[in-house]
Amino acid sequence: MTDAVIHPSTTGFGSCPLDLWLARQCGACSAGELPVKLADAQAALLRSTLRQALRGAFYARHLRECDLDITSVDDLERLPFTTAEDLRNWGDFLCVSQGDVQRMVTLHTSGTTGQPKRLAFTDADLARTRDFFAVGMSQLVGAGQRLAVLLPGAERPDGVADLLRQALSPAGVDVLAPPPEVHATPAADTGSCAESGGEHGHEPGKALALWLEQTKPHCLVAAPAQLALLLKHFPDRGPQGLEGILTSAEPLDDALGQALRRAWQCEILDHYGLTETAYGCAVECPAHEGFHVRELDVLIEIVDISGNKVLAQGEEGEVVITTLQRQGMPLVRYRTGDVARLLPAPCACGSPLRRLGSVRGRIERISGQPPRIVRPAKGRGV
């Protein structure tokens, strides 16, 4: 299933570019037939994903007694869940040789309250994410413009910053990242930001603010905590030339989003992603009515946080994902620990597809106690 399968007309599709991207992959020629064509493609990809998952020792055991005769994504409900605890034995999930692994990520928290996890991605897995990044970012930045990626880890090969560079450079976007000595990052113990070098904590964010004034990016990719810090240096206007922002790595607080839009007068889109989804999962459109999901790479269910029941659209519960088209470490019904709901179609942008609502927090599970929703600091991959 590739983008070259069909080239539908843009006529009739909403303004969100993800719909046309999905249509080209599933064979939909119009927005009206997109939901049905998409559902058929998802079912086929789910069957393929299960076959790939069975190559790993974990799912060979985990799904041994399951009926894998899948006719629709609704059949997922009869399969068991995968948990973060299961991923501690990451080697059992690997479905390719280690020589085929392009990127390995160790998560000490990944924003969770659980144990460390390791995740492996092939180049094909990362290529799918690059495609998603290119489509999603086209809403904010284009040829001849400059994108500054402020997220930590810009120096890591095939990390988020590098994947954005690989995705957008062919389209004529100049992708930059601040050097380590001026990079502002959230301080894990306080939730605030502190300098990682250069200023040694004096006037946090000043070096980064100066760097932005010098480089004059048209668009930023940044964590909300970084933007809150920069707002102190740019209280009345944004950095010169700034037209748009993609927020990622942690939820964007409504108050912060409103303050940034009011002071900086630029478009701000939020992104929902997990390392488990190869970084990218869903992104807002300018209508700001939820996250548009990369539906041919990630299936989303919402499940009761205290049990196993799949909840109806609009009900809040735990986000459960199944990755599609993943070669290295496919995940089947993985409980993310995030709390959100699915929003019914259509979106104000014209999309006929459901979206993921804002993430309200994470589920903390302590033995002998009922689950509770918390907002822990986001962890980092290394």
Side-chain angles (χ1 to χ4, degrees):
M1 186 166 297
T2 67
D3 290 355
V5 170
I6 191 167
H7 297 283
S9 166
T10 58
T11 304
F13 284 90
S15 59
C16 180
L18 263 70
D19 280 10
L20 189 58
W21 180 60
L22 292 170
R24 286 172 172 160
Q25 296 174 72
C26 72
C29 293
S30 68
E33 67 179 26
L34 179 57
V36 173
K37 291 284 190 178
L38 189 65
D40 290 343
Q42 287 173 324
L45 289 171
L46 178 55
R47 291 190 290 271
S48 175
T49 290
L50 292 174
R51 289 193 296 271
Q52 180 69 5
L54 291 172
R55 295 173 178 264
F58 175 80
Y59 285 116
R61 297 190 304 268
H62 200 54
L63 302 178
R64 182 184 298 130
E65 305 299 325
C66 297
D67 179 5
L68 300 182
D69 183 17
I70 300 295
T71 59
S72 79
V73 295
D74 293 336
D75 294 333
L76 263 177
E77 192 171 352
R78 66 184 186 229
L79 302 182
F81 294 105
T82 305
T83 67
E85 183 72 15
D86 294 327
L87 284 179
R88 292 180 64 187
N89 299 314
W90 67 273
D92 286 353
F93 284 82
L94 197 60
C95 297
V96 297
S97 69
Q98 293 198 29
D100 289 328
V101 174
Q102 175 73 14
R103 173 87 164 113
M104 180 73 73
V105 183
T106 299
L107 299 176
H108 292 291
T109 64
S110 189
T112 72
T113 52
Q115 296 294 321
K117 300 169 286 188
R118 299 197 77 189
L119 294 144
F121 307 106
T122 67
D123 185 61
D125 297 334
L126 298 175
R128 293 290 305 167
T129 294
R130 291 194 293 268
D131 287 348
F132 170 67
F133 282 173
V135 174
M137 289 301 299
S138 70
Q139 300 179 104
L140 291 170
V141 67
Q145 295 186 321
R146 184 173 293 125
L147 170 69
V149 183
L150 306 188
L151 300 177
E155 73 286 353
R156 297 177 189 137
D158 293 314
V160 173
D162 191 31
L163 290 174
L164 282 165
R165 188 178 298 110
Q166 294 174 41
L168 298 175
S169 293
V173 177
D174 185 15
V175 182
L176 308 174
E181 60 269 21
V182 303
H183 206 308
T185 58
D189 56 342
T190 65
S192 64
C193 285
E195 286 299 313
S196 61
E199 298 168 327
H200 304 291
H202 297 295
E203 290 192 80
K206 181 178 180 180
L208 184 60
L210 290 173
W211 182 81
L212 290 174
E213 288 284 71
Q214 293 166 359
T215 55
K216 298 179 176 58
H218 298 86
C219 181
L220 301 179
V221 174
Q226 294 175 313
L227 295 171
L229 180 64
L230 287 170
L231 188 58
K232 297 178 181 179
H233 294 273
F234 300 98
D236 302 316
R237 64 165 183 85
Q240 185 177 352
L242 188 66
E243 299 176 1
I245 300 171
L246 183 84
T247 60
S248 193
E250 59 198 43
L252 175 64
D253 180 77
D254 287 342
L256 176 60
Q258 291 171 10
L260 287 165
R261 290 184 181 98
R262 183 170 56 249
W264 291 7
Q265 295 293 302
C266 67
E267 180 62 89
I268 302 174
L269 302 182
D270 199 9
H271 168 255
Y272 173 71
L274 306 89
T275 307
E276 291 89 338
T277 61
Y279 308 115
C281 183
V283 67
E284 278 191 310
C285 73
H288 302 288
E289 291 191 353
F291 298 99
H292 293 258
V293 181
R294 51 189 292 203
E295 293 272 14
L296 291 174
D297 293 278
V298 183
L299 292 178
I300 293 181
E301 302 170 276
I302 302 297
V303 174
D304 178 12
I305 68 172
S306 300
N308 301 326
K309 180 184 177 183
V310 176
L311 301 179
Q313 208 167 79
E315 293 188 69
E316 187 177 79
E318 182 172 9
V319 179
V320 173
I321 62 165
T322 296
T323 60
L324 303 177
Q325 307 197 63
R326 178 77 63 79
Q327 294 182 358
M329 287 179 65
L331 298 176
V332 178
R333 305 200 80 199
Y334 176 75
R335 303 193 77 136
T336 68
D338 287 331
V339 177
R341 61 194 177 102
L342 286 170
L343 305 176
C347 176
C349 73
S351 174
L353 304 179
R354 63 181 189 168
R355 284 98 52 230
L356 182 69
S358 60
V359 176
R360 190 160 74 87
R362 292 193 55 81
I363 303 166
E364 181 178 74
R365 292 184 170 95
I366 299 175
S367 180
Q369 300 181 26
R372 68 188 186 105
I373 300 173
V374 298
R375 292 288 289 267
K378 186 77 179 177
R380 300 188 215 168
V382 296

